[in-house]
Amino acid sequence: MNLIRLLLLALGIWLLTLVVKRYLAAAGRKRGGTPRIGTMVRCAVCGLHVPEAEAVKRRDQYFCSAEHRDKASV
Ligand SMILES: [Zn+2]
């Protein structure tokens, strides 16, 4: 009888960890639908929002591309 109880307990714990793992995975997917990209900045020419890491920066202005940076300097 004790062995059965132990087995049921182990099964219960296993199921619990399975559910928790699934829940955490689902929550992680929901939170990180897109990979972490940091701050979004706005292009000073077209207004497009681009990740700061991909933006072209000049002084205190950001641009979506080098073309727009050049366009702004004209
Ligand atoms: Zn732009």
Side-chain angles (χ1 to χ4, degrees), residues 43-48 63-65 68:
C43 174
V45 174
C46 66
L48 189 79
F63 305 93
C64 64
S65 59
H68 277 181

Side-chain angles (χ1 to χ4, degrees), residues 58-72:
R58 195 194 58 193
R59 273 170 255 148
D60 56 341
Q61 282 188 310
Y62 289 98
F63 305 93
C64 64
S65 59
E67 289 90 65
H68 277 181
R69 180 200 56 203
D70 297 341
K71 210 176 184 180

Side-chain angles (χ1 to χ4, degrees), residues 1-21:
M1 200 60 184
N2 257 351
L3 189 71
I4 291 168
R5 228 184 241 181
L6 198 74
L7 278 171
L8 280 174
L9 191 72
L11 192 76
I13 290 168
W14 177 73
L15 275 171
L16 197 72
T17 51
L18 204 74
V19 167
V20 167
K21 263 187 202 169

Side-chain angles (χ1 to χ4, degrees), residues 27-45:
R29 260 200 303 277
K30 232 179 268 169
R31 212 182 314 134
T34 47
R36 284 191 67 83
I37 39 172
T39 321
M40 297 294 280
V41 292
R42 194 173 170 276
C43 174
V45 174

